Amino acid sequence: MIIQIIRILLSFLVLNNVYAAAFQTTIPLEFNTGNPAPYGLPSTVITIQGKTFPMIVDTGAKHSAITLTKYALQNIHVKFTGEQKCFKALDGRHCQNIFVIPEVRIGDFVVKNVKGSLMTKLWGGGDSGFKETEASRNGVIGYQLLSKFNLLLDYPHSKAILTKLNNPIGYDVNQWIAVPFNGHLQSHLIVNNKPVIFVWDTGAVPSGIKKSIVTSFPKIQCSDEAPYNKNNCVRIETYSFKTDAGNILPKTWFELSDIPSWAPFDGLIGSNFYKEHLVYFNFDKKFIYIK
């Protein structure tokens, strides 16, 4: 009888693991690009045509699913469609040639017929003090691919979880702080009693806020903690940070940034926030959950 019970339990565990693997996959993160770990841009590894490519993970890359450099394309075969996509970014206007990748593997998940684009400028390439890595030389995994799943960021444990479920297995996100978003990860929040539109951007190191928004706020020099101690870095701290529904968010800080006036947002929530908190993007429900 005891042996039968053990067998049933083992079968249950095996089925549970198979179920979890079908709907959820964990990917490791590294933070060695741009700035010293753990403050650099997050990167992970994808597989295309049997070859592995470290890639930057950038939720702020609104127009991108996979963006590859000429360096990365030397090692695989893709079919260019003849299309060209042009868009306006913070660093200027970009036009990129489009191709199709038949299959991309990220963790245990496989995505078919992914539209890729050829990068015209490396992320951070040529910027003073930028630390290049294989990931920055290869390209970017952007919002258009990440949002095919739901995404849990766990910077403290250097990992992310992609899930096809409403909630990741093993995380009670319904008990976390819920923040609605619309469009491209835009949330209407209140900083020190002032309404501000933020984009949740893993490509932002650190969080930034438009200078014109905070002219009356007290300002201090950025932390002595590298890499935020760069010259002329000035920041504001939140003594009050909440959603427009009144839900209290963890206190944080934002570097004063030259975000252009035409940008449809006032600030970016970036690395210094994610390294302190678990953040879960439920793209299906259009909510972000914070622990």
Side-chain angles (χ1 to χ4, degrees):
M1 184 68 174
I2 294 175
I3 293 175
Q4 287 179 325
I5 292 172
I6 291 172
R7 284 175 177 169
I8 290 170
L9 289 173
L10 287 173
S11 298
F12 175 79
L13 289 172
V14 169
L15 287 172
N16 190 55
N17 288 336
V18 169
Y19 174 82
F23 293 99
Q24 183 167 299
T25 187
T26 299
I27 57 176
L29 295 178
E30 291 193 14
F31 301 91
N32 56 354
T33 298
N35 289 297
Y39 304 104
L41 295 165
S43 65
T44 194
V45 175
I46 64 171
T47 303
I48 302 172
Q49 297 171 7
K51 299 180 175 64
T52 56
F53 296 86
M55 303 274 289
I56 293 169
V57 177
D58 189 356
T59 58
K62 174 182 178 180
H63 302 280
S64 303
I66 293 280
T67 307
L68 296 176
T69 62
K70 289 181 179 179
Y71 170 79
L73 287 174
Q74 293 179 118
N75 299 309
I76 57 174
H77 301 286
V78 298
K79 182 180 179 180
F80 281 88
T81 64
E83 302 172 71
Q84 191 176 70
K85 177 169 58 182
C86 296
F87 58 91
K88 194 174 185 180
L90 294 182
D91 61 347
R93 182 175 170 81
H94 295 262
C95 289
Q96 299 177 340
N97 294 322
I98 305 301
F99 52 81
V100 175
I101 307 172
E103 182 178 291
V104 173
R105 178 176 290 274
I106 180 166
D108 294 324
F109 291 163
V110 173
V111 185
K112 300 285 189 179
N113 298 318
V114 177
K115 272 198 172 184
S117 53
L118 176 62
M119 289 183 74
T120 52
K121 179 181 181 294
L122 293 182
W123 253 233
D127 293 352
S128 175
F130 184 86
K131 181 182 176 183
E132 286 194 4
T133 61
E134 191 70 6
S136 67
R137 287 188 284 269
N138 283 328
V140 170
I141 304 167
Y143 171 81
Q144 297 296 333
L145 178 59
L146 296 170
S147 61
K148 290 182 180 296
F149 313 101
N150 294 321
L151 170 68
L152 174 72
L153 296 178
D154 185 351
Y155 278 29
H157 296 98
S158 298
K159 67 180 182 180
I161 294 173
L162 298 175
T163 176
K164 300 175 183 178
L165 302 170
N166 271 331
N167 294 334
I169 298 168
Y171 295 84
D172 191 8
V173 300
N174 291 325
Q175 301 302 313
W176 299 6
I177 303 166
V179 183
F181 72 87
N182 53 42
H184 175 224
L185 294 176
Q186 293 185 4
S187 291
H188 292 253
L189 306 178
I190 300 174
V191 174
N192 302 349
N193 299 319
K194 188 176 184 69
V196 181
I197 299 173
F198 283 107
V199 171
W200 299 79
D201 184 3
T202 57
V205 181
S207 299
I209 194 166
K210 195 182 294 183
K211 290 178 180 178
S212 60
I213 291 290
V214 294
T215 52
S216 62
F217 288 13
K219 302 168 185 65
I220 61 174
Q221 291 296 311
C222 291
S223 168
D224 289 337
E225 184 182 25
Y228 306 134
N229 60 350
K230 56 190 178 184
N231 292 336
N232 303 318
C233 178
V234 178
R235 72 183 192 179
I236 62 104
E237 295 186 337
T238 60
Y239 58 78
S240 173
F241 191 30
K242 57 188 178 181
T243 68
D244 57 4
N247 295 326
I248 304 300
L249 297 171
K251 291 181 180 178
T252 187
W253 59 270
F254 296 90
E255 178 187 8
L256 269 62
S257 177
D258 293 316
I259 297 171
S261 59
W262 54 259
F265 54 84
D266 306 308
L268 302 167
I269 297 177
S271 59
N272 52 304
F273 189 88
Y274 302 125
K275 78 183 188 71
E276 298 290 342
H277 309 285
L278 298 182
V279 179
Y280 175 57
F281 297 83
N282 189 318
F283 295 107
D284 296 325
K285 292 186 174 181
K286 294 191 177 298
F287 268 90
I288 293 164
Y289 298 87
I290 300 160
K291 182 179 180 183

